[in-house]
Amino acid sequence: MVGFFPSLYPDELWYSAIVRFHVHSGMAYWTDTLSLLFPDQTSYPKVGDMMPNETMQQIVRQLPEGALDLRDLALHHSLFPFRLRFLPTQKKQDYLERFCKGEDIQPHLLSITKKLREHPLRYCPMCAQEDRETYGEAYWHISHQIPLMPLCPRHRCRLKAAEQKTTMPLSRQLVQIPAMSEPIDREAEPWEKFLTGLLNRWYTMPYEAEPDRSTDNLNRAAENNGLLAPGSVRRLSWDTERLYQKLVDRFGAAVVAEVFGQRITSAHIRRLRQISISTPEEYALLSILLGLEPDALFEGQEIPIALRDRMQALADAGRLFTKQGVAADLGIRTEQVMPYAKRFGINPFWVQSGKRKTETERQGYTVTIHLSQEEKHMLDCYMAEQNIQAYSHALRYCMNKELRTWHRSGGRQTHGK
């Protein structure tokens, strides 16, 4: 039975509470504190784990009923909500209930969440100072330990790494926040500020929140950023080599290798598109690279496909186009125009081959028109303004426009022979 145990502060890491117990108890050695709290433990207790673990359950059992709550420990004093953010809600609820009933869920969590290389604990000097002024002591914040988190979500200054032995598990060593005041580093790249806000948003969302898998917004953003493989109109395959290089150029080789490994495969991209991979860090880097807002993968609103909107705008313009002209305007190959139109549900609006037309629609007559120099100049200016590529298209457009006006006004058609 534990005689006393400190109440946890807001956003406090579970390991931090063990450290404060050690300090308050007056124990000389860290190992003595662990032996006192976990007398039946045959190996080092995993108090340094960032996920819910059996040490929480063991402490709760030794305290008066209601002193600490396992659900609260899991949701507010571990990385549980963040690491499981991309899992379906029902699956997350199941893991939480099993943990609260005393089950060790660590083996299951390790099978669905990628274990990144352990980093030293991080802290914000400004948070530490505020904690001392408010609570009389500084403590480790769980939000500062979110993987890839570069800045303090509250103060937007750079987080500092603790001086600890990286060759030894955190559970086996006592690590405290320095007592002296330190200089504040507010220098940060724009993407680091965006990354901080995105990660914190995902961490503070309601635990039940899960991505909307019906929108395919990740793929839509990749297409808008030109990251589909050449010629990929229907299969929508990503150019994985170019994607990886863009990630390296943006975030550096070390960060990308830690999150994605040495390369990204097409199979991996398919799983990311389906949101069947649960690693938030991968989606975080992709979101920044593709310009996605923090809620873009979670809300049900689809991101517009830029190419479809541009093609629809051309179709609505009411002008005559060649297929080559459509391709040039959209920045795609001529042979891709029809497949894209079919995919987007847009009827052909360009001049098509006579083979595709009925007998009455085929163009079987030739008319020659002679223009003065001034008339040709006016026609050239009109074509430039209307973005029409061929003289025949411009004259047909003007003729059809006038004929339609005449026909709607009740003009009588005379058929000559």
Side-chain angles (χ1 to χ4, degrees), residues 116-152:
L116 297 180
R117 178 174 57 86
E118 287 191 4
H119 293 276
L121 289 175
R122 290 170 295 189
Y123 65 96
C124 165
M126 297 186 68
C127 284
Q129 182 60 34
E130 289 183 359
D131 293 341
R132 293 187 183 99
E133 295 172 357
T134 304
Y135 305 106
E137 57 186 339
Y139 62 90
W140 298 106
H141 286 246
I142 185 65
S143 59
H144 297 164
Q145 317 314 321
I146 294 174
L148 300 184
M149 182 70 83
L151 311 174
C152 172

Coordinates of all heavy atoms in Angstrom, one line a residue, residues 116-152:
L116 N 8.7 4.3 -32.8 CA 9.8 5.2 -33.3 C 11.0 5.1 -32.3 O 10.8 4.8 -31.2 CB 9.3 6.6 -33.5 CG 8.2 6.8 -34.5 CD1 7.8 8.3 -34.5 CD2 8.6 6.4 -35.9
R117 N 12.1 5.6 -32.8 CA 13.3 5.6 -31.9 C 13.0 6.6 -30.8 O 12.4 7.6 -30.9 CB 14.5 6.2 -32.8 CG 15.7 6.3 -32.0 CD 16.9 6.7 -32.9 NE 16.6 7.9 -33.6 CZ 16.8 9.1 -33.2 NH1 17.3 9.3 -32.0 NH2 16.5 10.2 -34.0
E118 N 13.4 6.1 -29.6 CA 13.1 6.9 -28.4 C 13.9 8.2 -28.4 O 15.1 8.2 -28.7 CB 13.4 6.1 -27.1 CG 12.4 5.1 -26.8 CD 12.6 4.5 -25.4 OE1 13.4 5.0 -24.7 OE2 11.8 3.5 -25.1
H119 N 13.3 9.3 -28.0 CA 14.0 10.6 -28.0 C 14.1 11.0 -26.5 O 13.3 10.6 -25.6 CB 13.2 11.7 -28.7 CG 13.1 11.5 -30.2 ND1 14.1 11.9 -31.0 CD2 12.2 10.9 -31.0 CE1 13.8 11.6 -32.3 NE2 12.7 11.0 -32.3
P120 N 15.1 11.8 -26.2 CA 15.1 12.4 -24.8 C 13.9 13.1 -24.5 O 13.2 13.7 -25.4 CB 16.4 13.3 -24.8 CG 17.2 12.8 -26.0 CD 16.2 12.3 -27.0
L121 N 13.5 13.2 -23.2 CA 12.4 14.0 -22.8 C 12.6 15.5 -23.2 O 13.7 15.9 -23.3 CB 12.2 13.9 -21.3 CG 11.7 12.6 -20.7 CD1 11.6 12.7 -19.2 CD2 10.3 12.3 -21.3
R122 N 11.5 16.1 -23.6 CA 11.6 17.5 -24.0 C 10.8 18.4 -23.1 O 9.7 18.0 -22.5 CB 11.2 17.7 -25.5 CG 12.1 17.1 -26.4 CD 11.6 17.0 -27.8 NE 10.4 16.1 -27.9 CZ 9.8 15.7 -29.0 NH1 10.3 16.2 -30.2 NH2 8.8 14.9 -29.0
Y123 N 11.2 19.7 -23.0 CA 10.4 20.6 -22.1 C 10.5 22.0 -22.7 O 11.4 22.3 -23.5 CB 11.0 20.6 -20.7 CG 12.4 21.1 -20.6 CD1 12.7 22.4 -20.2 CD2 13.5 20.2 -20.8 CE1 14.0 22.9 -20.1 CE2 14.8 20.7 -20.7 CZ 15.1 22.0 -20.4 OH 16.3 22.5 -20.3
C124 N 9.6 22.8 -22.2 CA 9.5 24.2 -22.6 C 10.0 25.1 -21.5 O 9.4 25.0 -20.4 CB 8.1 24.6 -23.1 SG 7.8 26.4 -23.2
P125 N 11.0 25.9 -21.6 CA 11.5 26.7 -20.5 C 10.4 27.6 -19.9 O 10.3 27.9 -18.7 CB 12.7 27.5 -21.1 CG 13.1 26.7 -22.2 CD 11.9 26.0 -22.8
M126 N 9.6 28.1 -20.8 CA 8.5 29.0 -20.4 C 7.4 28.3 -19.6 O 6.9 28.8 -18.6 CB 7.9 29.8 -21.6 CG 8.8 30.7 -22.3 SD 8.1 31.6 -23.6 CE 7.0 32.7 -22.6
C127 N 7.1 27.1 -20.0 CA 6.1 26.3 -19.3 C 6.7 25.9 -17.9 O 6.0 25.9 -16.9 CB 5.8 25.0 -20.0 SG 4.7 25.2 -21.4
A128 N 8.0 25.6 -17.9 CA 8.6 25.2 -16.6 C 8.6 26.4 -15.6 O 8.3 26.2 -14.4 CB 10.1 24.8 -16.8
Q129 N 8.8 27.6 -16.1 CA 8.7 28.8 -15.2 C 7.3 29.0 -14.7 O 7.1 29.3 -13.6 CB 9.3 30.0 -16.0 CG 9.3 31.3 -15.2 CD 10.2 31.2 -13.9 OE1 11.2 30.5 -14.0 NE2 9.8 31.8 -12.9
E130 N 6.4 28.9 -15.6 CA 5.0 29.1 -15.2 C 4.5 28.0 -14.2 O 3.8 28.3 -13.3 CB 4.1 29.0 -16.5 CG 4.2 30.2 -17.3 CD 3.2 30.2 -18.5 OE1 2.5 29.2 -18.6 OE2 3.2 31.2 -19.3
D131 N 5.0 26.8 -14.4 CA 4.6 25.7 -13.5 C 5.2 26.0 -12.1 O 4.5 25.7 -11.1 CB 5.2 24.3 -14.0 CG 4.5 23.9 -15.3 OD1 3.4 24.4 -15.6 OD2 5.1 23.0 -16.0
R132 N 6.4 26.5 -12.0 CA 7.0 26.8 -10.7 C 6.2 27.9 -10.0 O 6.0 27.9 -8.8 CB 8.5 27.2 -10.9 CG 9.4 26.1 -11.4 CD 10.8 26.5 -11.4 NE 11.7 25.4 -11.9 CZ 12.2 25.4 -13.1 NH1 11.9 26.4 -13.9 NH2 12.9 24.4 -13.5
E133 N 5.8 28.9 -10.8 CA 5.0 30.0 -10.2 C 3.6 29.5 -9.8 O 3.1 30.0 -8.8 CB 4.9 31.1 -11.3 CG 6.2 31.8 -11.6 CD 6.1 32.7 -12.7 OE1 5.0 32.9 -13.3 OE2 7.1 33.4 -13.1
T134 N 3.0 28.6 -10.5 CA 1.7 28.1 -10.2 C 1.6 27.0 -9.2 O 0.8 27.0 -8.3 CB 1.0 27.7 -11.5 OG1 1.0 28.7 -12.5 CG2 -0.5 27.3 -11.3
Y135 N 2.5 26.0 -9.4 CA 2.4 24.8 -8.6 C 3.6 24.6 -7.6 O 3.6 23.7 -6.8 CB 2.3 23.5 -9.5 CG 1.2 23.6 -10.5 CD1 1.4 23.8 -11.8 CD2 -0.1 23.4 -10.0 CE1 0.4 23.8 -12.7 CE2 -1.2 23.4 -10.9 CZ -0.9 23.6 -12.3 OH -1.9 23.7 -13.2
G136 N 4.6 25.5 -7.8 CA 5.8 25.4 -6.9 C 6.8 24.4 -7.4 O 7.9 24.2 -6.8
E137 N 6.6 23.8 -8.6 CA 7.5 22.9 -9.2 C 7.3 22.7 -10.7 O 6.1 22.9 -11.1 CB 7.5 21.5 -8.5 CG 6.1 20.9 -8.5 CD 6.0 19.6 -7.7 OE1 7.0 19.0 -7.4 OE2 4.9 19.2 -7.3
A138 N 8.3 22.4 -11.4 CA 8.1 22.1 -12.8 C 7.9 20.6 -13.0 O 8.3 19.8 -12.2 CB 9.4 22.5 -13.6
Y139 N 7.2 20.3 -14.2 CA 6.9 18.9 -14.4 C 7.0 18.6 -15.9 O 6.9 19.6 -16.7 CB 5.6 18.5 -13.8 CG 4.4 19.2 -14.4 CD1 3.7 18.7 -15.5 CD2 3.9 20.4 -13.8 CE1 2.5 19.4 -16.0 CE2 2.8 21.0 -14.3 CZ 2.1 20.5 -15.4 OH 1.0 21.2 -15.8
W140 N 7.1 17.4 -16.3 CA 7.2 17.0 -17.7 C 5.7 17.0 -18.3 O 4.9 16.3 -17.8 CB 7.8 15.6 -17.9 CG 9.2 15.5 -17.4 CD1 9.7 14.9 -16.2 CD2 10.4 16.1 -18.0 NE1 11.0 15.1 -16.1 CE2 11.5 15.8 -17.2 CE3 10.6 16.8 -19.2 CZ2 12.8 16.1 -17.6 CZ3 11.9 17.1 -19.6 CH2 12.9 16.8 -18.7
H141 N 5.6 17.7 -19.4 CA 4.3 17.8 -20.1 C 4.2 16.7 -21.1 O 5.1 16.5 -21.9 CB 4.1 19.1 -20.8 CG 3.8 20.2 -19.8 ND1 2.6 20.9 -19.8 CD2 4.6 20.8 -18.8 CE1 2.7 21.8 -18.8 NE2 3.9 21.8 -18.2
I142 N 3.1 16.0 -21.2 CA 2.9 14.9 -22.2 C 2.8 15.5 -23.6 O 3.3 14.9 -24.5 CB 1.6 14.1 -21.9 CG1 1.5 12.9 -22.8 CG2 0.4 15.0 -21.9 CD1 2.6 11.9 -22.7
S143 N 2.2 16.7 -23.8 CA 2.2 17.3 -25.2 C 3.5 17.6 -25.7 O 3.7 17.6 -27.0 CB 1.3 18.5 -25.1 OG 1.8 19.5 -24.3
H144 N 4.5 17.8 -24.9 CA 5.9 18.1 -25.4 C 6.6 16.8 -25.9 O 7.6 16.9 -26.6 CB 6.7 18.7 -24.3 CG 6.2 20.0 -23.8 ND1 6.6 20.6 -22.6 CD2 5.3 20.9 -24.4 CE1 6.0 21.8 -22.5 NE2 5.2 22.0 -23.5
Q145 N 6.0 15.7 -25.5 CA 6.7 14.4 -25.9 C 6.1 13.8 -27.2 O 6.5 12.7 -27.6 CB 6.5 13.4 -24.8 CG 6.8 13.9 -23.4 CD 8.1 14.8 -23.3 OE1 9.1 14.5 -23.9 NE2 8.0 15.8 -22.5
I146 N 5.1 14.5 -27.8 CA 4.5 14.0 -29.0 C 5.6 13.9 -30.1 O 6.4 14.8 -30.3 CB 3.4 15.0 -29.5 CG1 2.2 14.9 -28.5 CG2 2.9 14.6 -30.9 CD1 1.2 15.9 -28.9
P147 N 5.8 12.7 -30.7 CA 6.8 12.6 -31.8 C 6.7 13.7 -32.8 O 5.7 14.1 -33.2 CB 6.5 11.2 -32.4 CG 5.8 10.5 -31.3 CD 5.0 11.5 -30.5
L148 N 7.9 14.2 -33.2 CA 8.1 15.3 -34.2 C 7.7 16.6 -33.7 O 7.9 17.6 -34.4 CB 7.3 15.0 -35.5 CG 7.6 13.7 -36.2 CD1 6.8 13.6 -37.5 CD2 9.1 13.6 -36.6
M149 N 7.1 16.8 -32.5 CA 6.7 18.1 -32.0 C 7.9 19.0 -31.8 O 8.8 18.8 -31.0 CB 6.0 18.0 -30.7 CG 5.5 19.3 -30.1 SD 4.1 19.9 -31.0 CE 2.7 19.0 -30.3
P150 N 8.1 20.0 -32.7 CA 9.3 20.9 -32.6 C 9.2 22.0 -31.6 O 10.2 22.5 -31.0 CB 9.4 21.4 -34.0 CG 8.0 21.5 -34.5 CD 7.2 20.4 -33.8
L151 N 7.9 22.6 -31.4 CA 7.8 23.8 -30.6 C 6.7 23.5 -29.5 O 5.9 22.6 -29.6 CB 7.3 24.9 -31.5 CG 8.0 25.2 -32.7 CD1 7.3 26.3 -33.5 CD2 9.5 25.6 -32.4
C152 N 6.8 24.3 -28.5 CA 5.7 24.3 -27.4 C 4.4 24.7 -28.0 O 4.3 25.8 -28.6 CB 6.1 25.1 -26.2 SG 4.8 25.3 -25.0

